[in-house]
Amino acid sequence: MKQLNLVLALTGALYLAACQPKDGQQGDNASATTDTTTSPATTTPAVDDGPVFTKEGELSFISKAKGDTIKTIDIELAQTDEERALGLMNRKTMQDTQGMLFIFEAAAEQSFWMKNTYISLDIMYVDANKEIVSIRKYTTPLSEDGVPSLKPAQYVVETNAGFSDKYHVQVGDKIEFTKLK
């Protein structure tokens, strides 16, 4: 009988030990009044949308047909080799009213890629006269394939994919921009 009581006692102890919550967990018998508002499990983790947009100027798309402004957006500038190499890499979002303007010293055939770029873009290649010479729409995010200008370009404008369709921006339209700095 003593052995049976010992076995029952050990079995009960093991059962209770197995039912206890592990470190950092709450068991089913946790108090209903426990404040979980500061618990890490109930807080929403911060979303990393990548680098924050910094307005450095404004850019307007000008209609070739009528000469009127099609749409004006805020722009970040990419003027140095380092800024141009980084471009919109690591961005996870961008507003429809934002874009990036790449400025080169002289017009030349350009080719961009989407490495580390998480959002699909429209890439508009612009010649030295600020006329759009080609538009590459709906580029593939994270692709390392080249997206060539097909013609010499001194400026390149990147916007969210679908921008040129939505606002009817076409080859032959022009751009005008102002820098804040």
Side-chain angles (χ1 to χ4, degrees), residues 12-130:
L14 288 172
Y15 175 77
L16 288 174
C19 292
Q20 295 299 313
K22 293 184 174 83
D23 290 345
Q25 294 181 342
Q26 289 187 344
D28 290 339
N29 61 351
S31 169
T33 60
T34 301
D35 180 14
T36 60
T37 57
T38 58
S39 168
T42 61
T43 57
T44 305
V47 176
D48 180 13
D49 288 335
V52 176
F53 181 86
T54 303
K55 180 178 177 176
E56 297 176 306
E58 291 183 347
L59 182 141
S60 295
F61 295 92
I62 310 300
S63 169
K64 174 184 176 180
K66 297 181 182 178
D68 58 342
T69 300
I70 299 168
K71 178 74 176 168
T72 299
I73 61 171
D74 296 335
I75 53 169
E76 275 191 65
L77 299 172
Q79 301 176 94
T80 66
D81 288 341
E82 183 179 85
E83 290 170 337
R84 288 188 292 262
L86 183 59
L88 290 173
M89 285 184 178
N90 304 310
R91 305 284 172 109
K92 305 256 173 76
T93 63
M94 185 169 65
Q95 294 180 16
D96 196 36
T97 56
Q98 298 173 333
M100 181 168 277
L101 174 65
F102 296 78
I103 302 173
F104 294 90
E105 295 295 321
E109 288 197 25
Q110 307 293 341
S111 185
F112 280 45
W113 64 355
M114 297 293 292
K115 181 178 180 178
N116 298 325
T117 305
Y118 293 90
I119 53 178
S120 181
L121 301 172
D122 282 359
I123 302 176
M124 292 163 255
Y125 293 99
V126 182
D127 69 12
N129 296 319
K130 299 183 183 159

